[in-house]
Amino acid sequence: RREKRDFDIVTTDSFETADYIANWGKSRGFFWPLSTLDRDVLVAYNVRTQSTKIGIDSNGVIVLREGYGTNSVETWQEWLVLLSRND
């Protein structure tokens, strides 16, 4: 049974196959959807660098954007709270 959530976390990779991505995520215990994507999506969301993080609200508006780098646990918690309230 799938629980209702305020938002989804999706990881994408435009350079690997869907099977590779699925197996990679399972091997690391990831519970969120992983997918491949079309390059048009990268263009539409102005993704120009690897490891771009984008928070998109329920209206399709980008409310968060971060480039390459690792964010602290606190930063991720703040972002997830913001996204869960941004509806």
Side-chain angles (χ1 to χ4, degrees), residues 66-82:
E66 180 70 28
Y68 196 84
T70 304
N71 298 97
S72 67
V73 171
E74 292 80 15
T75 299
W76 282 108
Q77 289 171 335
E78 290 173 16
W79 286 7
L80 295 174
V81 167
L82 176 66

Side-chain angles (χ1 to χ4, degrees), residues 21-70:
I21 296 295
N23 291 329
W24 180 82
K26 285 179 188 176
S27 74
R28 285 161 178 74
F30 294 167
F31 58 88
W32 55 84
L34 292 107
S35 68
T36 59
L37 56 89
D38 189 280
R39 291 208 181 274
D40 292 342
V41 174
L42 298 174
V43 172
Y45 284 103
N46 197 29
V47 175
R48 296 175 182 234
T49 184
Q50 179 184 9
S51 191
T52 298
K53 295 120 183 122
I54 301 173
I56 303 169
D57 70 11
S58 60
N59 297 310
V61 176
I62 296 174
V63 295
L64 299 167
R65 178 182 290 274
E66 180 70 28
Y68 196 84
T70 304

